[in-house]
Amino acid sequence: ETETKCETLLVAQEGGVAVITLNRPDAMNALNAKLLSELNTVLDKCDADPEIGCVVLTGGEKAFAAGADIKEMKDKSFADAFNTDFIAPYDAIASHKKPLIAAVSGFALGGGMELAMICDMIIAADSAQFGQPEIQLGIMPGAGGTQRLTRAVGKAKAMDLCLTGRRIDAEEAERSGLVARVVPQTALMEETMKIASKIASFSQPAVAMIKKSINTSMATPLPEGIRQERHLFYSTFATEDQKEGMAAFTEKRKPDFKDR
Ligand code: HXC
């Protein structure tokens, strides 16, 4: 059990998996500065903890998160926004090393959808609803919504969602390439934990390199991405886990990955 005391999050550990639950139920888990700061602190601890191989981020049944906290934002001036760069904590979340899976039930809207897209994979309950409703508030997505969404689903759906603010259900989200899997609402945590435990059982360096390499594909032209992938691939041969994984295969036994 981690000892982190949080106002806005619940943190638990099951085997090699840390589970972080957004916990502002009275505000549909609206993301305020306190929550983002606590989330980054917990993710820092997960990155530093060799026992943790995967992190799951979830919310409540009704809402993963209904966006950035509108009440906290509404009186900000341009100078406040620019000088404090209040979106910066979202970049910090994205910069973490351990794989982060979003388990989404209910509303993932605005900054809540952006937070889910920052995660490395989204598992959606069949009740999930995704949307970028910022346009309805006279603003625009600001934590990657116009960028990560476009890369995930292409220009047509990104324009549709961001310009109209309409919500899509889990099925449309999966069809569009936004989410990895859709599962029944009641099985959301069980299914997500199976995936997370599986990832946590693998070589941590290999997992971290795959995360890094796929994220690189979002930010580089293909030849540069291929070049970086090859360096990372060759470097897996410097790990004990590569020797163990390949030895286990040839000896017809289960591998025991230990690199941290
Ligand atoms: C602050 C919020 C909130 C939010 C909900 N609440 N969303 N508070 N910020 N984003 C609060 C409500 O004010 C209300 O508090 C309580 O949560 C319950 O919400 P209700 O509206 O009563 O619930 P319901 O009728 O079921 O509707 C759920 C909902 C709706 C469809 C999710 O709450 C909604 O539309 N929320 C806003 C969604 C949105 O516009 N998100 C984008 C935000 S802008 P009280 O005290 O009244 O009971 C954004 C910008 C991102 O995210 C930029 C970069 C980060």
Side-chain angles (χ1 to χ4, degrees):
E1 285 289 311
T2 52
E3 306 219 337
T4 323
K5 281 266 171 296
C6 289
E7 240 174 66
T8 63
L9 306 171
L10 303 172
V11 184
Q13 189 178 334
E14 258 188 76
V17 180
V19 181
I20 305 172
T21 305
L22 305 174
N23 189 34
R24 298 189 68 212
D26 297 339
M28 297 268 166
N29 291 332
L31 308 167
N32 61 10
K34 179 83 185 166
L35 183 151
L36 293 166
S37 155
E38 289 185 337
L39 181 54
N40 273 304
T41 300
V42 173
L43 291 172
D44 287 345
K45 287 192 174 164
C46 292
D47 271 0
D49 184 345
E51 296 311 311
I52 303 290
C54 191
V55 185
V56 171
L57 180 63
T58 193
E61 192 179 324
K62 273 194 75 176
F64 175 75
D69 191 321
I70 297 168
K71 292 162 193 168
E72 189 181 67
M73 273 185 302
K74 68 184 189 28
D75 295 323
K76 280 190 198 300
S77 65
F78 166 74
D80 293 335
F82 188 84
N83 290 336
T84 61
D85 194 10
F86 75 104
I87 302 299
Y90 291 86
D91 298 338
I93 293 165
S95 75
H96 283 85
K97 189 179 67 186
K98 303 273 166 91
L100 180 57
I101 304 181
V104 174
S105 173
F107 297 112
L109 303 178
M113 176 164 170
E114 291 171 309
L115 176 60
M117 290 191 291
I118 283 168
C119 295
D120 300 305
M121 195 193 299
I122 303 176
I123 307 301
D126 50 15
S127 68
Q129 297 233 18
F130 297 87
Q132 297 286 171
E134 287 88 346
I135 187 64
Q136 294 163 0
L137 297 167
I139 58 167
M140 64 178 281
T146 63
Q147 304 300 303
R148 288 193 183 88
L149 179 61
T150 308
R151 282 167 168 77
V153 306
K155 176 180 163 181
K157 286 267 180 203
M159 286 286 186
D160 178 1
L161 296 192
C162 294
L163 289 177
T164 68
R166 89 173 165 94
R167 302 202 284 251
I168 56 173
D169 63 15
E171 197 209 312
E172 186 172 356
E174 187 187 30
R175 204 180 337 123
S176 309
L178 179 67
V179 314
R181 307 186 199 183
V182 180
V183 300
Q185 157 70 46
T186 49
L188 177 64
M189 285 317 285
E190 194 189 325
E191 292 300 320
T192 305
M193 290 306 287
K194 273 192 219 159
I195 298 165
S197 308
K198 160 84 71 185
I199 293 169
S201 76
F202 291 135
S203 166
Q204 281 194 19
V207 165
M209 286 184 216
I210 290 170
K211 165 170 172 156
K212 196 181 172 68
S213 196
I214 292 179
N215 285 332
T216 293
S217 80
M218 300 292 179
T220 56
L222 185 63
E224 176 56 19
I226 292 287
R227 195 187 67 77
Q228 291 191 31
E229 180 192 68
R230 190 159 310 164
H231 279 302
L232 287 172
F233 171 72
Y234 288 151
S235 70
T236 63
F237 287 82
T239 65
E240 290 297 319
D241 285 345
Q242 175 269 330
K243 299 290 175 289
E244 168 62 10
M246 292 192 179
F249 176 82
T250 52
E251 290 159 20
K252 302 185 188 300
R253 61 174 174 82
K254 283 195 116 186
D256 181 13
F257 295 117
K258 289 206 176 81
D259 277 326
R260 291 288 180 266

